[in-house]
Structure formats: C-alpha cells, structure tokens
Amino acid sequence: MTISSLLRIDRIACDGHGLCADLLPELITLDEWGYPVIPLSVVPHELERHARRAVAACPVLALRLDSTAHGVRRGG
Amino acid sequence: MTVHPLSGPAPGYDDPYEAAGIRLLTGRRTGLDEHLARHGVLPLPWSGRGGGDERLISAVELSGLTGRGGAAFPTGRKMRAVADGKGFPVVVANGMESEPASRKDATLLDDAPHLVLDGAAVAAAAVGANTVHLCLARPRLLQAERMRRCVDERLRRGLDRINVRIQQLPHHYVSSEESALVRWLNGGDARPAATPPRPFEKGVRGQPTLVANVETLAHLALIARYGPGWFRRVGHPDAPGTALLTVTGAVRRPGVHEVPMGRSLGSVLETAGGATAPLSALLVGGFFGSWLPAGPALSVPFTRADLAQLGAGPGAGVVVALPKDACGLAETARILNHLAANSAQQCGPCRFGLPAVARDFTALAEGRPEKDLWARLRSRIELLPGRGACRHPDGASRLAATALSVFAADAHIHMTGHPCDAFHGSAVLNIPQAHVPGPDEWR
Ligand SMILES: Cc1cc2nc3c(=O)[nH]c(=O)nc-3n(C[C@H](O)[C@H](O)[C@H](O)COP(=O)(O)O)c2cc1C
C-alpha cells in the first residue's frame, strides 16, 4: 500500500487569495471569485514539493497536506 | 409492566396502530402514563457508568435503522464509532427542524415526546454517555416549554439516569447542521465548523459526540424494547421501519404521515389523500432535495438506494406534489433565494456562488435571459458541491440542477424571454421571509 498525500482546505478560513492556484496549477484552479477548485485532492508524488510550497504560501493557513486517509468523510 | 430488553412483547397485529404500520404517531399527544401503559418502562439494565453497550449497538446495527435527519446514514455504525472514540461520549438530539417544508419533528415532539426522550436514553446507554443535549429552535418557545415539563416529570418519577438539557439555538437553515450544533454547545456561533474532526471524533467539549435526529431516537426507543426483528417487520429489507414524511402541495390531506419505508412515491401521495390536480413533478427531500418528473417518480420506492438511482434522496422526508399549473422554475428560484440568504456566509461557495446561482435562476424564472445565462448558470451550479465546510451548497446545487433538467421544456420557453403561463400562478411552496442573519444572530 502506498500512502499518498491529500490536499485539504479549511473552507471557512479560505479567503480566496488564490496563491495556491499560482503555485500548484496542476491541481488547483480558481472559480470566478478566486476561490479554489480542486477536482482531485490526491497529490501525485512528483507534485508533492509544489504542494508543500502552496501550503506554505497560503496567507491564512487554510491549505493543508494530509498524509493519511484521516478526515475522509464518515458519519452522517 | 416490565419489558425485557430487545425482546419485549411487541405490539401484535391486533394492535390497530401496528396493523396499520404506525409506530410513532398516534395522532394525539401521548402523556407519560399513556406512554408507559402502551410501551412499558424503558428496559435499560445495561445502563452503567462509562463504556458503551455492545449488545445494544449490535441490535441497532441489525435493525438497519438509518438516520432520519437527512443523510440516511446507518445509526448503529455511527454509534459504534462514537462508543469506540477516545473520551466520555455525549449525545446531541437534533430537534431543530430548520427545513421550512418539514413538520415531522415538531409533530413527533408534540405527539410522542416520551418516545424521543426514551430514545435519547437508549442512545446514551449505547455509547456510554450520561448527558444528552436536546437542541430545539429558539423561536419555538412552546415546544421547549413542553419538552422541559416532560423531562422534569421523568426526573420526578426516577425514570431517567441521564441528564437531559434542553438547548435553544438560533433558528437559521444551517444552524441545525451537526457541526453548528456542536460549535454552539461549545460556546461559539451556531454556524457549521470546518471538519475534520467531525463530531463523532471530537464534538461537545472535545468528546466523541453522537448527533441524531429526534425521529431516529424515537425509533431507537422501540428497537430497545422490541428488538431488531420486530423493527424490520415493517418497511423494506434494505430500508426497514417507518418514516415520518411531510407531504404537501397538491394533495388532499397535506401534513405529516407515517409511512413504511419502501412504499412507492405514488402510494405516499395516496396516504396523503391523493393528488388534487394533474402533477408535473415531485420535490423529494426538502429545500435541498431533488425535483423528479411526476410520471416516472410515482413508482419509485421511498428508500435511499432507489431514490439515489434518480439522483434524489430521502432528505428530511419531505414530498411536495407540484401541480401542472405551477411553475417549477419560479418555485426553485424562490427556494434558492431563501437558501442563499440563509447560509452562514462563511465559505466561498455560499458567499458568492450560491447568491449568483440564485440571481441567475431568478432571471431565468422571470424570463430575462441575459447573454450566456444558460451556460453561466450551469457552470456555476456545477461548481457548488464539495466546496463548503458543510453540505449546504451541495444541497442547493442538487435542487437547481434537477430543476433545470425536470423543467427543461419550461426553461426553453423562459429563455426566449417569455415565462411560461404558470409563472403568474400562485406559489405552491410556502417560503418563509428571507432574512439574512446578522453577525450577532448566531449566538
Ligand atoms: C444545512 C444543513 C441543515 C441540517 N438541518 C438538520 C435539521 O434541521 N435536523 C436534523 O436532524 N438534521 C439536520 N441536518 C443533518 C445533520 O447535520 C445530521 O446529519 C443529523 O442531525 C444526524 O442525525 P441522523 O443520523 O439521525 O439523521 C442538516 C444538515 C445540513 C447540511
């Protein structure tokens, strides 16, 4: 089993600064108001470094990289 | 009368309610004496301090009971996750019923308050909690007062070993979402919180928290007495038991009806006296439910799996019958405006996306087709789901998307700048005045 990283966004903290999309355009685009759209949150190995940069760049610390499946929706 | 846990003498088919498949709603207010005469004292010999109750949890798992608050998630599985969590579990009974089209929880709390309170005790015993927070909408003063009296009466008679606290929360569409309840109980705003952690992991005071709808709890009260086998005698093998449905719109007897799960939507309408006019569509689930074309929908069984095949779900148990002479686009536009105004204004999709969809939809309903309206609306609707802290935008998106497909023919007429004739008719859905909650109205 390979453990891959997952991109997580705290949607409440996110203010639509959009830096994440600049640094990680392969995975993140923006809607017309500048809020991130992430069709696939699994980060391929080769993009991991870019993903870390995007996480570090978020001015409100809304972006996170989770290395486990923790947080996958469960419960009603 | 003593009832043994999980194997009490269940009401037989000679019982008129049981024969009719009615378990929760007797149609009038049931006081404590009548409640005890009918069901006996709740058998909870397992109720000890600390630790959940394996026997009870497996019984709930076997019963196949699913949550009646919207997501239809298996209750037993959720209980197990809470009981297995780290800490001292807490139970939250969700009686907020913020869905404007639903009346089932209010009706249940009116008719059978002691089934709900029994169920709260069962849930507490199952997960090993000793506190239950019963969350109610603050404006419903009478409801809270009545429930408080019921709790006091049980306390006086020494029926409960748990501490039931009546909590009165701000009443907005999203203040009843589970993470909003937890956030408020922890001293914050009744607005959805960022997850994870989800309440079952870390909820009230940081403890594993079971959030359950009050109807779900009422079913638990009976499962604890009569067992999972009895529970499954009514309903569908994949969706056992009964459900409280609020059936409105063009039906003869609008109101809350208790219906065995798995009945067809057509038979649900019959329970409400049948349609009063030819129907164009059904709204299933509630304000963030799905529109289904009336013809094919009538034969669909009311279960999560069957509804899912049509892109719908049981939601809060709302079924609205839309007559042919009403305009589904106008109805949808009004609901969307309500949902947009009632969001917590926290996440991008609810601050910008949902209000934009509501505006576009209103333009469509009114026959004001701006350039690119159709394409823009479609892409905005598609971008709502999965991008909020809670599923408010997801629900709104589903409502809007199903409206565009079910009322596609009408939409084409509206797109030529002429609303359909029905647009000028009177509205079917009763929508409360949209009031945007101010920043200080969440506490
Ligand atoms: C915006 C929103 C509003 C909700 N409102 C209610 C509500 O009024 N009552 C309710 O029981 N569940 C409501 N829910 C679902 C709860 O979050 C939670 O899933 C439910 O109370 C769990 O109970 P159950 O498993 O018994 O269904 C709402 C969910 C969302 C996303």
Side-chain angles (χ1 to χ4, degrees), chain B residues 34 52 88 120 122 126 189 219 230 263 279 285 311 349 369 371 400 422 425 429:
Chain B
E34 190 186 336
F88 201 91
V122 172
D189 281 356
H219 289 294
W230 168 83
R263 289 273 169 89
L279 304 179
K371 190 167 164 288
L429 276 158

Side-chain angles (χ1 to χ4, degrees), chain B residues 175-270:
Chain B
S175 64
S176 50
E177 189 271 339
E178 58 181 18
S179 70
L181 303 181
V182 167
R183 193 168 159 190
W184 187 88
L185 288 166
N186 284 335
D189 281 356
R191 297 202 276 182
T195 55
R198 310 212 350 120
F200 78 90
E201 305 167 294
K202 217 169 190 289
V204 179
R205 283 181 288 108
Q207 306 301 312
T209 299
L210 178 78
V211 183
N213 172 259
V214 287
E215 183 196 338
T216 311
L217 294 177
H219 289 294
L220 281 182
L222 298 178
I223 293 169
R225 288 181 164 93
Y226 310 129
W230 168 83
F231 184 72
R232 302 186 73 97
R233 285 214 312 233
V234 164
H236 187 276
D238 299 332
T242 62
L244 302 184
L245 306 184
T246 311
V247 190
T248 58
V251 291
R252 226 157 257 121
R253 287 190 294 115
V256 177
H257 299 276
E258 183 167 3
V259 179
M261 290 287 272
R263 289 273 169 89
S264 69
L265 282 165
S267 128
V268 167
L269 296 186
E270 287 310 315

Side-chain angles (χ1 to χ4, degrees), chain A residues 76, chain B residues 67-73 75 78 94 96-99 105 173-174 176-179 211-214 216 288 390-392:
Chain B
R68 304 292 199 244
F73 190 83
T75 305
K78 197 150 76 171
N94 195 346
M96 298 280 290
E97 195 164 46
S98 68
E99 168 62 57
D105 292 336
Y173 199 91
V174 298
S176 50
E177 189 271 339
E178 58 181 18
S179 70
V211 183
N213 172 259
V214 287
T216 311
F288 58 60
C390 80
R391 303 182 66 78
H392 190 63

Side-chain angles (χ1 to χ4, degrees), chain A residues 11 31-32 36 73-74 76, chain B residues 178 192 198 201 380 387:
Chain A
R11 298 284 180 178
D31 70 12
E32 58 192 292
R73 258 182 201 285
R74 197 180 150 199
Chain B
E178 58 181 18
R198 310 212 350 120
E201 305 167 294
R380 285 176 170 175
R387 296 181 54 235

Side-chain angles (χ1 to χ4, degrees), chain A residues 18-71:
Chain A
L19 293 179
C20 53
D22 283 344
L23 294 169
L24 194 56
E26 297 88 345
L27 296 181
I28 304 180
T29 57
L30 301 177
D31 70 12
E32 58 192 292
W33 299 279
Y35 285 81
V37 179
I38 308 181
L40 268 178
S41 56
V42 180
V43 180
H45 199 67
E46 61 275 17
L47 285 177
E48 189 133 347
R49 218 160 42 87
H50 292 265
R52 279 187 206 294
R53 276 231 307 272
V55 166
C58 177
V60 293
L61 307 179
L63 196 62
R64 242 190 18 239
L65 209 52
D66 275 2
S67 55
T68 65
H70 175 84

